[in-house]
Amino acid sequence: EVERITEPALRFSMAPDFLLKQHGVAVAVCEVKSMGEFDYSIKLNHEDGTTTVTQHNWRETNVERVLSCADRARDQLIYWNGDRALANIFVFVNHDPHTRRENVQQSLTDFAGIDGTFWFEAENDVVDTNPALIVSQEGKQRIECKMGLLLDAQLKLSSAA
């Protein structure tokens, strides 16, 4: 089951978004991050009544942008699950049509502190319900031990998205 962490005191802390449970027992903590095509926009109103909007990103490359999201997720997961008693799962929702999982996959595989990433594609604000699973080198055994069948977890997260 996927259980949303809803306790108000936890929601405004470094708590992750979800607990992933198997047979009623927590096996993983999940943090969800999403990324659009641009990180921020600047709107300038001109004296002649026209407006100019420019869109920008905080990071130079799309890989850096995804890894920045992963880094923030890892901080939350480790803060809450520092002893690594549960698997740390990063759930990434990609709204950027220029960012491809294939270009980032190796970086996420090598990323320390996150055991696995469920990568969802979102096109026109419709989220794909069949996420790709990227398992980190350090997390492979932890995920298999804690979560059992990866496909089962993938289906549960898909239904929660």
Side-chain angles (χ1 to χ4, degrees):
E1 317 100 71
V2 176
E3 181 180 302
R4 186 158 183 72
I5 297 173
T6 57
E7 186 178 327
L10 293 177
R11 291 303 316 140
F12 296 105
S13 69
M14 290 287 288
D17 294 312
F18 297 100
L19 285 175
L20 184 59
K21 294 183 172 183
Q22 194 170 51
H23 308 295
V25 177
V27 293
V29 289
C30 305
E31 176 59 26
V32 179
K33 300 288 183 201
S34 64
M35 185 178 85
E37 187 172 359
F38 299 102
D39 295 332
Y40 66 97
S41 300
I42 297 175
K43 182 177 178 179
L44 295 174
N45 295 318
H46 303 285
E47 289 181 13
D48 65 0
T50 61
T51 302
T52 304
V53 177
T54 56
Q55 297 176 312
H56 307 273
N57 291 313
W58 293 111
R59 305 284 184 283
E60 193 168 314
T61 69
N62 288 337
V63 172
E64 291 171 336
R65 293 177 67 221
V66 173
L67 292 179
S68 175
C69 291
D71 193 45
R72 290 192 320 265
R74 176 184 55 196
D75 289 348
Q76 286 180 260
L77 293 166
I78 289 177
Y79 178 84
W80 212 66
N81 184 37
D83 63 358
R84 303 295 291 274
L86 306 173
N88 284 336
I89 304 296
F90 172 40
V91 179
F92 183 73
V93 182
N94 180 34
H95 293 271
D96 182 0
H98 306 292
T99 300
R100 294 283 166 248
R101 176 181 44 84
E102 297 80 20
N103 299 336
V104 183
Q105 186 160 336
Q106 187 59 51
S107 295
L108 289 171
T109 300
D110 297 337
F111 201 83
I114 293 177
D115 299 314
T117 300
F118 286 97
W119 181 290
F120 288 87
E121 288 291 339
E123 188 173 327
N124 299 321
D125 292 325
V126 176
V127 178
D128 180 12
T129 58
N130 188 21
L133 174 62
I134 303 167
V135 179
S136 72
Q137 293 295 333
E138 72 170 339
K140 185 172 175 56
Q141 186 176 7
R142 183 177 290 111
I143 285 178
E144 288 171 355
C145 290
K146 293 287 181 188
M147 296 173 64
L149 298 173
L150 294 175
L151 290 177
D152 185 47
Q154 197 168 6
L155 291 172
K156 286 178 175 23
L157 284 170
S158 297
S159 64

